[in-house]
């Protein structure tokens, strides 16, 4: 399934080794949204008898269906209304949260996130650091880590990108992501200013932002498109993945490192927690950097095509084995098999609100609690 309108939900049947489950999935976006491509579409691809339902159709099915709800990141008033209604009917709710702090606010208002943290039976995230952040809400939900899989489909059969076999007078080094994250590259940009050794290739950043943040660098800039990204990636000798080291950055997933290596392009990356874990697992932890001096030394090593080829030969096989396309769905199915429609015990105030005992007063209290807790969770 290549994409869905995030204003809809998808109902279908999920066959597992233990049973057949009814699942109602609420994606945050479409296949052009990285988190949806990585964390919702793999599940949708496993569903049989899929039906796309409008929110009004979902609402009218309350009482007729008893599905597990899988809500991916985005929360609106409508999401929460439906979650409450299904919860009253005894349905199990899974909330997948792969954002935290300020970046999550663009997907949901803080009060909605706070209530969902307490309403959901299972809270899942992409990294241990993200789970620790969620736990600061004092939710009684179960917590699970489901790591991201390789992005952009099954890698090509060749173990190495053919560029790694070629000596090059100027290494093509790719950075990709949203413009808002480009500032993390600014700290090491001096290495690329007026450089005869490196051509910096950007994919996803706007021209104005790139020239503003990285003045003096000779930049090759590409618009991101799902259909052409792999061509851009494999045209490069290396990929650089930079985090600023902020608390928010230290909770991020290292899926870009997995993706780049599995598609045949060696990576130099910031020494942040998930990059460290993945690089250590793949045997390439020596290619992480904490400052421009370390980065310069690593880039100098990787000028050698033999070193780049060995890097991929070492790192790609273990990453392919663990993070293969479909690995997220396999982990999700394993999680769902253990649910058996069990529900967590909600705090009494939530139980009362679900029974409509306190009406708007209780809802207002939840709103105020959400604002108070969110102020301490913005880091």
């Amino acid at each position: 399934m290549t994409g869905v309108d995030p204003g809809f939900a998808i109902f279908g049947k999920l066959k597992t080794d233990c049973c057949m489950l009814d699942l109602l999935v609420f994606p945050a976006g479409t296949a052009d949204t990285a988190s949806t491509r990585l964390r919702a579409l793999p599940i949708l691809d496993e569903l049989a008898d899929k039906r796309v339902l409008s929110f009004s159709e979902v609402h009218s099915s309350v009482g007729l269906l008893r599905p597990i709800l899988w809500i991916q990141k985005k929360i609106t008033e409508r999401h929460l209304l439906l979650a409450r209604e299904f919860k009253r009917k005894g349905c199990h709710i899974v909330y997948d949260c792969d954002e935290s702090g300020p970046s999550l606010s663009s997907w949901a208002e803080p009060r909605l996130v706070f209530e969902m943290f307490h309403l959901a039976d299972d809270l899942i995230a992409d990294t241990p650091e993200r789970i620790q952040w969620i736990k600061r809400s004092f939710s009684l939900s179960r917590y699970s880590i489901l790591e991201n899989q390789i992005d952009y489909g099954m890698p090509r059969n060749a173990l190495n990108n053919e560029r790694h076999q070629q000596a090059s007078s100027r290494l093509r080094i790719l950075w990709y992501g949203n413009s808002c994250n480009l500032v993390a590259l600014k700290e090491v940009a001096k290495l690329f200013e007026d450089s005869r050794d490196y051509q910096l290739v950007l994919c996803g950043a706007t021209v104005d932002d790139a020239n503003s943040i990285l003045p003096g660098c000779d930049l090759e800039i590409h618009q991101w498109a799902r259909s052409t990204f792999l061509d851009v990636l494999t045209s490069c000798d290396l990929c650089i993945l930079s985090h600023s080291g902020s608390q928010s950055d230290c909770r991020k997933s290292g899926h870009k490192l997995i993706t780049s290596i599995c598609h045949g392009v060696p990576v130099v990356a910031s020494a942040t927690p998930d990059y460290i874990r993945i690089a250590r697992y793949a045997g390439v932890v020596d290619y992480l950097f904490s400052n421009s001096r370390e980065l310069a030394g690593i880039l100098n090593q990787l000028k050698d095509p033999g070193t780049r080829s060995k890097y991929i030969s070492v790192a790609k096989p273990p990453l392919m084995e663990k993070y293969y396309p479909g690995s997220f769905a396999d982990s999700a199915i394993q999680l769902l098999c253990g649910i058996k429609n069990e529900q967590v015990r909600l705090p009494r105030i939530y139980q009362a609100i679900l029974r409509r005992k306190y009406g708007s007063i209780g809802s207002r209290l939840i709103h105020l609690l959400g604002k108070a807790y969110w102020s301490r969770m913005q880091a």
Side-chain angles (χ1 to χ4, degrees):
M1 193 162 187
T2 57
V4 292
D5 185 325
F8 291 78
I10 296 87
F11 175 80
K13 294 186 178 294
L14 183 66
K15 184 178 181 180
T16 73
D17 291 338
C18 59
C19 58
M20 183 74 79
L21 299 172
D22 288 345
L23 200 61
L24 188 60
V25 181
F26 295 81
T30 69
D32 285 335
T33 307
S35 64
T36 298
R37 193 168 60 246
L38 289 164
R39 303 183 69 81
L41 297 189
I43 298 173
L44 295 180
D45 286 341
E46 298 295 321
L47 295 183
D49 303 325
K50 286 189 283 280
R51 285 187 285 151
V52 179
L53 304 175
S54 67
F55 274 48
S56 60
E57 289 173 319
V58 173
H59 190 269
S60 65
S61 71
V62 176
L64 301 176
L65 300 175
R66 192 182 171 89
I68 295 172
L69 273 64
W70 186 290
I71 301 171
Q72 192 243 325
K73 185 164 57 178
K74 183 177 180 178
I75 312 171
T76 64
E77 293 280 7
R78 292 191 301 172
H79 287 86
L80 208 50
L81 173 65
L82 289 170
R84 292 189 198 112
E85 291 293 327
F86 278 102
K87 186 80 170 185
R88 289 190 188 101
K89 299 296 182 180
C91 294
H92 195 99
I93 298 172
V94 179
Y95 179 55
D96 179 16
C97 182
D98 71 333
E99 300 279 1
S100 55
S103 62
L104 182 56
S105 300
S106 62
W107 294 96
E109 292 181 39
R111 63 185 179 85
L112 303 182
V113 174
F114 179 76
E115 182 170 349
M116 185 62 76
F117 280 172
H118 289 268
L119 195 63
D121 301 281
D122 278 85
L123 293 170
I124 64 174
D126 49 350
T127 67
E129 291 74 26
R130 193 100 62 191
I131 286 291
Q132 289 303 314
W133 179 82
I134 294 172
K135 285 183 176 179
R136 288 158 62 182
S137 68
F138 301 111
S139 168
L140 298 178
S141 306
R142 295 193 303 182
Y143 302 95
S144 301
I145 300 166
L146 268 63
E147 295 184 86
N148 289 316
Q149 63 182 37
I150 298 166
D151 201 0
Y152 301 99
M154 181 63 73
R156 296 164 184 166
N157 291 330
L159 186 63
N160 293 313
N161 178 348
E162 61 183 17
R163 287 190 60 86
H164 305 152
Q165 312 299 329
Q166 304 168 3
S168 175
S169 60
R170 199 176 189 207
L171 289 184
R172 290 172 54 78
I173 303 177
L174 174 68
W175 180 95
Y176 67 100
N178 294 321
S179 286
C180 60
N181 296 317
L182 190 58
V183 68
L185 197 58
K186 188 174 183 178
E187 299 172 14
V188 295
K190 288 285 185 184
L191 289 174
F192 305 108
E193 292 180 6
D194 302 317
S195 173
R196 296 180 179 179
D197 296 320
Y198 310 119
Q199 168 70 64
L200 193 56
V201 181
L202 306 182
C203 186
T206 66
V207 173
D208 288 344
D209 286 340
N211 289 329
S212 173
I213 296 170
L214 301 172
C217 294
D218 179 17
L219 302 175
E220 178 182 314
I221 302 173
H222 297 264
Q223 278 192 318
W224 179 87
R226 184 162 44 93
S227 60
T228 59
F229 173 73
L230 285 182
D231 292 332
V232 176
L233 175 63
T234 55
S235 75
C236 296
D237 300 288
L238 300 173
C239 185
I240 183 168
L241 301 174
S242 53
H243 284 160
S244 66
S246 66
Q247 290 185 55
S248 181
D249 270 4
C250 286
R251 292 190 287 265
K252 287 184 175 179
S253 162
H255 71 273
K256 287 183 179 179
L257 186 147
I258 296 167
T259 295
S260 300
I261 292 174
C262 288
H263 286 288
V265 181
V267 173
V268 292
S270 302
T272 45
D274 211 38
Y275 283 152
I276 292 172
R277 272 190 297 272
I278 296 167
R280 184 175 290 129
Y281 178 79
V284 289
V285 74
D286 291 341
Y287 295 95
L288 302 182
F289 66 90
S290 299
N291 52 56
S292 58
R293 180 183 58 81
E294 292 177 358
L295 175 59
I298 294 169
L299 292 179
N300 191 54
Q301 292 179 54
L302 290 170
K303 288 179 182 178
D304 173 37
T307 302
R308 298 197 301 273
S309 181
K310 182 179 179 181
Y311 180 118
I312 294 299
S313 298
V314 168
K316 182 174 178 177
L319 295 182
M320 282 292 298
E321 183 177 359
K322 184 174 182 179
Y323 300 106
Y324 57 89
S327 60
F328 181 85
D330 289 347
S331 297
I333 289 170
Q334 186 175 4
L335 173 76
L336 292 170
C337 273
I339 284 175
K340 298 178 182 176
N341 282 335
E342 297 171 355
Q343 287 192 317
V344 298
R345 185 168 178 269
L346 292 172
R348 289 182 180 179
I349 183 63
Y350 285 95
Q351 296 179 42
I353 290 170
L354 286 176
R355 294 196 302 267
R356 300 186 176 93
K357 186 174 179 180
Y358 296 130
S360 61
I361 296 175
S363 296
R364 179 61 180 165
L365 177 59
I366 294 297
H367 177 90
L368 292 174
L369 283 171
K371 288 183 66 176
Y373 278 115
W374 195 259
S375 65
R376 67 188 288 274
M377 295 176 72
Q378 281 301 289

